[in-house]
């Protein structure tokens, strides 16, 4: 962090990295709400702290070597420059886009029938890189129409809009050569020699080098070459060793941070190739790929929308404005780096890598990995206090030794007075003063623990590497440390405590329990037809059937895959059913309402509204049901039967999903496409088709992991959107609830009950909650806030887009690496790569090891410091000499550096 840090002064009052003047400190007090604290190192909210908060403790820090103490913390000046560069690029892009739109408005449109610009990439594709980049970057809808719309553009790119491109290595290589790869140039890391150059630019080391040079010259002059080089040569060797170890340590940590950042950027996403949905690295994406998009995804490249429903994009990362933009055929252009806020769709990739605005933005900035951690801030306070004491002692010793020397109270080894006024030669006096000064400098070196805050960061960096091996990717360095202080973990159920390998094990159609659940012979054909229609059209998943018809591949979320598999066993022909009806409007699954719906027009012109979601919620909207014979029955008398069936399945740890539909009158269907965006799908008077129970077994080892947490004083709470009975059964199985006697409110509570409480009541109830069922993301956020106000250090796991506020609010946010959305990962501090709760426990263990390691280092450092200071001060005052000279004291500095390095 030497770019803005200074190592050439004891205290630079106008340097942000070293400390500011009092006037600037007063200004920061008004900008930062935390600045009123009496202790500048006592920061109340360390996570997501403002730059003003970060500056505050630096202003109070006595820094002998700012570049050393702050070289692994956030470079505030570079952060400000990075934000300015982002704003400049965004403004530049907006100006160009506005100018082009103004020009097109004046021309009205490009003349129809004008020849398409000749491709610049060769004869393989009928459109060139420049034409594609210009059309997408500048949102030229008229140019897209000139190419024949999305269908015509796909023909120019040789892409099948249903099956995508083929997984042919030659074709993929050809596309990369023609349109570029989805990578962007990154600034090279600094070489080892750069770290070596920076390591010696240390005020303390420079003073020691000068002292060593003077001592070497004087020693050789007075004692001869054979014995005179001992003191000076020893100091030189110690300084060289410190520089070498410091540079090597910095270089290793730099490489480690680069590797971790590369891992964070390597997003795995789904693309359609050869009719199949496959997972590829974001770096392997090429122009012409088809990419399905759903809530929480990051748009991986520039492209145009092929088809979508209620697709809303958060473009704040590119435009800087917190505005959700709805995408449709009138505005089909998608920018890479943006997030999907709602709905779903499929995009055709038209620009990748450096040919996108996001690529240009990323190539122009460097990602800083440094940041302040709570322990580091507190230890800076300790280091500052000890440094002041050490400097005071060193100055006192220097004054005492000089006073005793010039007053004739010191003797040489032969017993003769060292300094006699008027008799002692200048050279001899100068030599003795240099030795005294060297002793004072070495006291400062040992007394001032500049390596104390640095040791925290190096320990955290080591823990990051070890946690990576334990399937935990650390996005925020301070999370390693904070996790060791966690007192409660609010965990998801699905995929974290359970395997997320779902299968339908029970099914009710009407009042009849189908056994086995996919036995279609027990159902009337009309019921099977409606079920197949609802499942096929209300899913974001996909079914790929090989040409021979033997292999069936199902993609989508685990819940979607379970229901699709069940419907296929019932006899659903996925592609055939989807072709028989047209989707009019989609209400995407909503975690607040716990259901999703789709309106479709069949070939016979009838409009069906299909709903799918949490069983008891969908059931409440049903006025009738179809029995297994296809006859419509009234729900009035049989509602209690279905409620009991749901409770029984939930008690057996099953997730209950209901499927229902209703006919929609033609006059209620919007007549034009623009009206569909505002159309609210009817959700009353539904006809229940089926209730299915999905089994998701507990992960092996979860019960032991929960017990380890409980024994260690960390309380595990389950927060899930599932039925309260399902949550209760899983909690008992995992050991979160010890016995059935614990199943009383508020130990187990529903989200709607918790959110209805007042803020004060929530704080009182929160500490007692062990299981929260049917919770919305907002309920999870309220729980986190209540627990934090009660003094808990809260860790939260989440995987959905709507979990982002809770992940951001918690002291430690843990997102899921497999099922987690990109929005959730961006808001989290740690990504659990295997979605396993046992990995969360390992993170806690590593967090606590950080404290143990730092405790040992402080014990070692302070023991050496205090012993050396006391011995030299007492000896200097009593005898006028110090028993620990520079050669004896400097090994402490070397040992300190080697400890940090190892």
């Amino acid at each position: 962090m030497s770019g803005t840090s200074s190592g050439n002064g004891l205290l630079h009052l106008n340097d942000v990295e070293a400390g500011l003047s009092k006037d600037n400190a007063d200004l920061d007090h008004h900008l930062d709400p935390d600045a009123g604290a009496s202790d500048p190192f006592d920061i109340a909210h360390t996570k997501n702290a403002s730059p003003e908060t970060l500056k505050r403790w630096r202003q109070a820090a006595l820094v002998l070597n700012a570049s050393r103490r702050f070289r692994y913390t956030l470079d505030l000046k570079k952060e400000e420059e990075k934000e300015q560069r982002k704003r400049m690029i965004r403004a530049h892009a907006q100006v160009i886009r506005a100018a082009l739109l103004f020009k097109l408005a004046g021309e009205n449109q490009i003349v129809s029938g004008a020849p398409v610009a000749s491709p610049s990439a060769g004869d393989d594709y009928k459109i060139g890189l420049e034409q594609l980049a210009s059309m997408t970057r500048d949102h030229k809808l008229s140019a897209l129409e000139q190419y024949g719309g999305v269908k015509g553009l796909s023909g120019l790119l040789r892409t099948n809009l249903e099956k995508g491109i083929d997984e042919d290595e030659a074709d993929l290589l050809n596309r990369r050569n023609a349109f570029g790869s989805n990578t962007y140039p990154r600034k090279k890391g600094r070489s080892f020699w750069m770290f070596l150059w920076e390591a010696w630019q240390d005020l303390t080391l420079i003073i020691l080098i000068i002292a060593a040079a003077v001592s070497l010259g004087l020693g050789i002059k007075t004692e001869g070459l054979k014995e005179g080089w001992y003191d000076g040569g020893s100091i030189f060797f110690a300084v060289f060793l410190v520089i070498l170890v410091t540079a090597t340590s910095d270089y290793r940590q730099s490489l480690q941070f680069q590797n971790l950042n590369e891992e964070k950027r390597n997003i795995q996403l789904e693309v359609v190739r050869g009719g199949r949905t496959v997972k590829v690295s974001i770096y392997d994406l090429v122009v012409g790929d088809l990419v399905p998009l759903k809530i929480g995804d990051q748009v991986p490249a520039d492209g145009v929308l092929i088809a979508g429903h209620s697709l809303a994009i958060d473009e704040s990362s590119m435009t800087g404005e917190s505005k959700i933009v709805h995408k449709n055929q009138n505005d089909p252009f998608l920018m890479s780096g943006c997030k999907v806020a709602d709905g779903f769709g499929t995009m055709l990739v038209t620009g990748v890598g450096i040919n996108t605005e996001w690529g240009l933005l990323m190539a122009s900035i460097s990602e800083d990995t440094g940041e302040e951690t709570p322990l580091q801030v507190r230890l800076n306070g300790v280091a500052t206090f000890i440094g002041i004491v050490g400097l005071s002692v060193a100055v006192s010793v220097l004054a005492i030794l000089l006073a005793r020397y010039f007053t004739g109270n010191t003797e040489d080894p032969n017993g003769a007075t060292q300094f006699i006024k008027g008799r002692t030669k200048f050279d001899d006096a100068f030599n003795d003063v240099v030795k005294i000064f060297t002793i004072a400098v070495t006291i400062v070196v040992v007394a001032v623990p500049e390596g104390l805050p640095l040791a925290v960061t190096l320990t955290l960096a080591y823990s990051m590497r070890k946690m990576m091996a334990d399937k935990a990717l650390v996005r925020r360095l301070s999370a390693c440390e904070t996790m060791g202080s966690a007192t409660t973990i609010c965990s998801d159920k699905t995929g974290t405590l359970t395997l997320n390998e779902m299968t339908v094990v029970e099914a009710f159609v009407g009042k009849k329990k189908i056994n086995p659940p996919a036995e279609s012979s027990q159902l009337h054909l009309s019921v099977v037809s409606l079920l197949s229609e609802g499942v096929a059209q209300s899913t974001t998943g996909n079914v790929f059937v090989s040409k021979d018809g033997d292999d069936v591949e199902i993609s989508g979320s685990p819940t979607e895959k379970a229901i699709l598999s069940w419907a296929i066993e019932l006899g659903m022909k996925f592609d055939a059913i989807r072709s028989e009806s047209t989707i009019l409007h989609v209400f995407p699954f909503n975690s607040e309402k716990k259901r999703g719906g789709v309106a479709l027009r069949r070939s016979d012109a009838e409009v069906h509204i299909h709903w799918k979601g949490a069983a008891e919620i969908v059931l409440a909207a049903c006025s009738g049901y179809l029995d297994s014979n296809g006859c419509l029955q009234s729900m009035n008398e049989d509602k209690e039967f279905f409620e009991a069936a749901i409770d029984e399945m939930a008690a057996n740890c099953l997730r209950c999903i209901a499927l229902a539909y209703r006919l929609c009158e033609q006059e209620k269907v919007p007549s034009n496409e623009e009206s569909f965006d505002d159309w609210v799908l009817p959700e009353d008077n539904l006809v229940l088709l089926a209730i299915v129970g999905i089994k998701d077994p507990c992960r092996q080892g979860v019960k032991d992991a929960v017990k380890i947490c409980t024994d260690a004083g960390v309380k595990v709470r389950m927060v899930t959107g599932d039925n309260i009975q399902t949550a209760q059964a899983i909690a008992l199985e995992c050991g979160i609830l010890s016995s059935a006697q614990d199943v009383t409110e508020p130990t187990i509570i529903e989200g709607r009950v918790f959110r209805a409480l007042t803020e004060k009541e929530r704080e009182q109830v929160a500490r007692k909650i062990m299981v929260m069922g049917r919770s919305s993301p907002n309920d999870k956020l309220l729980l986190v806030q209540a627990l934090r106000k009660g003094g808990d250090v809260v860790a939260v796991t989440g995987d959905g887009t709507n979990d982002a506020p809770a992940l951001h609010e918690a002291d430690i946010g843990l997102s899921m690496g497999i099922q987690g959305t990109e929005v959730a990962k961006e808001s989290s501090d740690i990504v659990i790569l295997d979605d396993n709760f046992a990995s969360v426990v390992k993170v806690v263990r590593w967090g606590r090891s950080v404290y143990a390691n730092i405790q040992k280092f402080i014990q070692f450092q302070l023991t050496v410091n205090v012993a050396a200071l006391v011995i030299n001060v007492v000896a200097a005052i009593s005898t006028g000499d110090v028993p620990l000279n520079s050669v004896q004291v400097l090994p402490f500095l070397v040992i300190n550096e080697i400890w940090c390095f190892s």
Side-chain angles (χ1 to χ4, degrees):
M1 307 300 295
S2 58
T4 54
S5 303
S6 174
N8 298 323
L10 290 178
L11 188 62
H12 294 279
L13 296 179
N14 292 318
D15 186 353
V16 172
E17 302 294 335
L20 298 177
S21 65
K22 185 178 183 300
D23 293 337
N24 288 334
D26 292 338
L27 176 63
D28 283 342
H29 175 82
H30 297 290
L31 295 174
D32 179 17
D34 284 335
S38 57
D39 184 357
F41 299 102
D42 182 20
I43 296 177
H45 302 288
T46 53
K47 182 177 176 181
N48 304 310
S50 65
E52 288 73 25
T53 301
L54 302 181
K55 289 176 187 176
R56 185 160 56 84
W57 64 262
R58 299 184 188 196
Q59 297 164 13
L62 178 68
V63 182
L64 285 175
N65 180 18
S67 62
R68 172 179 170 80
R69 184 181 288 190
F70 297 130
R71 72 178 185 265
Y72 280 124
T73 57
L74 195 63
D75 192 323
L76 300 177
K77 186 176 180 180
K78 284 186 178 179
E79 278 294 293
E80 186 178 348
E81 290 174 355
K82 185 168 76 172
E83 286 303 316
Q84 289 177 348
R85 201 175 295 118
K86 278 185 179 181
R87 287 193 292 269
M88 182 182 68
I89 293 174
R90 287 168 178 161
H92 182 67
Q94 294 299 320
V95 168
I96 292 174
R97 187 172 293 121
L100 285 166
L101 289 174
F102 181 78
K103 181 182 177 183
L104 288 173
E107 296 175 354
N108 193 14
Q109 62 180 13
I110 296 177
V111 179
S112 60
V116 177
S118 60
S120 59
D123 297 328
D124 293 323
Y125 305 96
K126 297 180 180 178
I127 186 170
L129 173 61
E130 289 302 322
Q131 288 78 42
L132 270 179
S134 174
M135 178 192 69
T136 311
R137 182 177 59 245
D138 304 323
H139 292 197
K140 292 181 181 177
L141 187 59
S142 55
L144 178 61
E145 292 171 353
Q146 178 190 1
Y147 298 136
V150 176
K151 188 173 182 180
L153 183 62
S154 66
L156 297 176
L157 292 173
R158 291 165 40 192
T159 299
N160 187 307
L161 287 181
E162 293 183 357
K163 296 184 178 181
I165 63 176
D166 294 326
E167 277 194 289
D168 179 58
E169 284 300 324
D171 182 44
L172 295 175
L173 181 60
N174 200 21
R175 290 176 185 273
R176 290 191 187 97
N177 291 334
F179 303 109
S181 62
N182 200 28
T183 57
Y184 48 86
R186 299 191 182 97
K187 294 180 180 179
K188 290 184 178 180
R190 291 179 295 172
S191 66
F192 175 75
W193 302 109
M194 287 293 295
F195 285 102
L196 202 63
W197 173 258
E198 290 177 358
W200 83 268
Q201 296 182 38
D202 178 315
L203 177 64
T204 309
L205 295 182
I206 291 172
I207 293 173
L208 285 174
I209 290 172
I210 295 172
V214 173
S215 178
L216 185 64
L218 295 177
I220 293 174
K221 178 183 176 182
T222 56
E223 300 179 30
L225 180 61
K226 188 174 182 180
E227 295 182 357
W229 68 271
Y230 289 162
D231 286 359
S234 299
I235 298 173
F236 266 125
F237 178 75
V239 170
F240 172 75
L241 200 56
V242 167
I243 292 172
L244 184 64
V245 171
T246 301
T248 305
S249 173
D250 289 355
Y251 182 63
R252 282 179 55 185
Q253 300 309 324
S254 174
L255 293 178
Q256 184 175 321
F257 284 131
Q258 286 179 28
N259 293 335
L260 289 171
N261 284 330
E262 193 66 27
E263 190 71 30
K264 286 190 287 188
R265 297 189 192 103
N266 188 13
I267 300 169
Q268 299 296 312
L269 53 93
E270 291 184 341
V271 298
V272 178
R273 289 181 180 174
R276 302 168 57 194
T277 303
V278 295
K279 274 205 169 186
V280 300
S281 166
I282 193 172
Y283 301 135
D284 295 331
L285 203 65
V286 294
V287 169
D289 262 325
L290 299 186
V291 182
L293 298 173
K294 58 183 182 298
I295 297 176
D297 285 348
Q298 175 178 308
V299 180
D302 283 359
V304 293
L305 180 66
I306 299 172
H309 295 282
S310 306
L311 185 65
I313 304 294
D314 178 4
E315 295 185 347
S316 59
S317 59
M318 287 306 302
T319 64
E321 299 177 6
S322 300
K323 184 179 178 182
I324 303 299
V325 181
H326 292 274
K327 296 294 178 179
N328 49 43
Q329 299 308 316
N330 296 324
D331 183 13
F333 297 102
L334 301 164
M335 292 188 291
S336 62
C338 301
K339 302 293 192 304
V340 181
D342 198 8
F344 60 90
T346 305
M347 68 173 280
L348 172 66
V349 176
T350 59
V352 294
I354 200 65
N355 299 311
T356 68
E357 284 184 28
W358 180 256
L360 289 170
L361 189 65
M362 290 297 102
S364 67
I365 62 176
S366 59
E367 184 173 348
D368 293 317
T369 56
E371 62 172 304
E372 287 78 357
T373 74
L375 183 59
Q376 191 178 33
V377 173
R378 291 194 293 272
L379 287 182
N380 263 287
V382 175
T384 296
F385 173 75
I386 298 174
I388 293 171
V389 173
L391 278 174
S392 302
V393 169
V395 171
S396 301
V397 169
L398 179 64
I400 291 170
L401 291 180
L402 287 175
R404 292 182 68 96
Y405 176 78
F406 286 111
T407 56
N409 291 317
T410 55
E411 299 176 347
D412 60 17
N414 299 322
T417 302
Q418 282 186 304
F419 180 81
I420 301 174
K421 188 176 181 180
R423 296 184 185 179
T424 305
K425 295 180 180 179
F426 175 79
D427 287 348
D428 294 336
F430 180 76
N431 295 347
D432 293 334
V433 169
V434 167
K435 289 179 181 179
I436 293 172
F437 183 75
T438 304
I439 290 171
V441 170
T442 54
I443 289 176
V444 172
V445 171
V446 177
V448 180
E450 291 292 335
L452 194 56
L454 174 64
V456 180
T457 313
L458 294 179
T459 304
L460 291 172
Y462 174 78
S463 299
M464 283 175 69
R465 191 174 67 214
K466 289 297 184 182
M467 286 162 66
M468 187 68 184
D470 285 336
K471 304 298 183 184
L473 171 63
V474 178
R475 294 180 54 86
R476 190 187 299 272
L477 189 64
S478 59
C480 302
E481 167 204 319
T482 312
M483 197 65 188
S485 306
T487 58
T488 186
I489 301 173
C490 297
S491 175
D492 273 345
K493 178 186 77 68
T494 306
T496 308
L497 299 173
T498 61
L499 284 171
N500 216 7
E501 296 175 359
M502 300 189 183
T503 53
V504 174
V505 295
E506 287 190 23
F508 278 87
V509 176
K511 296 175 67 174
K512 184 176 181 179
K513 184 176 182 180
I514 309 301
N515 193 15
E519 184 57 61
S520 59
S521 61
Q522 302 179 40
L523 302 175
H524 192 273
L525 286 176
S526 62
V527 178
V528 174
S529 176
L530 284 169
L531 280 172
S532 299
E533 181 182 83
V535 171
Q537 294 287 26
S538 65
T539 182
T540 55
N542 195 19
V543 177
F544 171 75
V545 182
S546 61
K547 292 181 179 179
D548 55 17
D550 293 334
D551 296 330
V552 177
E553 293 183 15
I554 302 173
S555 62
S557 68
T559 305
E560 295 278 15
K561 288 165 73 174
I563 295 176
L564 284 170
S565 298
W566 171 69
I568 288 171
E569 291 179 21
L570 282 176
M572 178 186 71
K573 303 296 183 185
F574 186 79
D575 292 331
I577 290 174
R578 287 176 76 96
S579 64
E580 290 172 359
S581 55
T582 304
I583 295 179
L584 300 176
H585 187 55
V586 175
F587 179 83
F589 179 85
N590 188 296
S591 55
E592 293 285 343
K593 290 192 172 184
K594 305 292 183 187
R595 62 183 180 274
V598 59
L600 49 94
R601 178 174 279 117
R602 292 158 50 107
S603 56
D604 58 6
E606 280 190 344
V607 175
H608 284 183
I609 312 290
H610 283 272
W611 287 94
K612 179 177 67 178
E616 68 269 26
I617 293 175
V618 173
L619 179 65
C622 292
S623 60
Y625 66 92
L626 282 184
D627 62 20
S628 57
N629 296 318
C631 298
L632 180 61
Q633 306 290 342
S634 174
M635 182 65 73
N636 294 334
E637 298 178 359
D638 297 319
K639 201 158 195 172
E640 291 182 1
F641 170 84
F642 291 109
E643 290 173 348
I646 292 170
D647 290 343
E648 183 182 350
M649 284 192 283
N652 293 326
C653 304
L654 302 184
R655 168 179 278 191
C656 301
I657 305 292
L659 298 113
Y661 92 110
R662 61 162 288 173
L663 292 171
C664 185
E665 297 81 359
Q666 291 288 349
E667 60 270 15
K668 293 184 179 179
V669 179
S671 57
N672 54 68
E673 191 173 331
E674 287 74 16
S675 303
F676 278 116
D677 292 336
D678 300 322
W679 187 29
V680 178
L681 294 182
E683 49 186 290
D684 58 343
N685 294 322
L686 303 184
V687 176
L688 183 67
L689 294 176
I691 298 174
V692 295
I694 301 175
K695 180 69 174 177
D696 186 13
C698 277
R699 286 185 181 272
Q700 188 175 1
V702 161
K703 190 168 185 176
D704 293 337
V706 170
K707 187 176 186 305
I708 290 171
C709 283
T710 304
D711 293 343
V714 181
K715 187 172 286 187
V716 180
R717 310 171 198 269
M718 179 197 293
V719 184
T720 177
D722 274 357
N723 185 300
I724 194 76
Q725 284 83 9
T726 306
Q728 173 186 320
I730 294 291
L732 286 168
E733 190 174 340
C734 294
I736 294 175
L737 295 176
S738 57
S739 64
Q741 282 73 28
D742 293 334
V743 186
T744 55
E745 198 172 292
T747 304
I748 181 167
I749 194 171
E750 281 197 359
R752 60 180 178 81
V753 177
F754 182 71
R755 84 177 74 107
L757 301 173
T758 64
E759 185 175 341
K760 189 171 183 180
E761 289 172 335
R762 282 198 295 268
E763 288 182 38
Q764 295 172 348
V765 169
R767 299 184 67 86
K768 302 175 184 177
I769 294 174
M770 298 301 292
V771 177
M772 183 184 288
R774 280 289 175 246
S775 67
S776 67
N778 190 53
D779 298 331
K780 183 185 284 189
L781 176 62
L782 291 174
L783 177 62
V784 171
Q785 291 172 337
L787 288 170
R788 291 191 71 195
K789 285 180 181 177
D792 278 307
V793 178
V794 186
V796 169
T797 69
D799 55 10
T801 304
N802 291 325
D803 288 327
L807 291 170
H808 188 272
E809 177 71 18
D811 296 287
I812 312 100
L814 302 120
S815 63
M816 300 297 108
I818 299 173
Q819 290 300 320
T821 64
E822 287 306 313
V823 172
K825 292 175 186 176
E826 287 290 330
S827 301
S828 66
D829 307 301
I830 298 174
V831 180
I832 304 300
L833 299 177
D834 60 355
D835 290 15
N836 192 345
F837 183 79
S839 298
V840 178
V841 178
K842 291 177 183 176
V843 173
V844 178
R845 184 177 287 127
W846 277 113
R848 293 194 174 187
S849 76
V850 169
Y851 282 94
N853 289 340
I854 297 303
Q855 189 178 35
K856 292 175 183 176
F857 177 74
I858 293 174
Q859 187 177 8
F860 157 76
Q861 177 97 44
L862 295 187
T863 301
V864 172
N865 291 359
V866 172
L869 284 174
V870 170
I871 291 171
N872 275 8
V873 169
V874 171
I877 294 173
S878 59
T879 66
D881 196 7
V882 287
L884 297 176
N885 58 34
S886 57
V887 177
Q888 294 167 321
V889 170
L890 280 176
F892 295 140
L893 176 62
V894 177
I895 292 170
N896 177 31
E897 289 293 332
I898 293 176
W899 188 94
C900 287
F901 174 76
S902 59

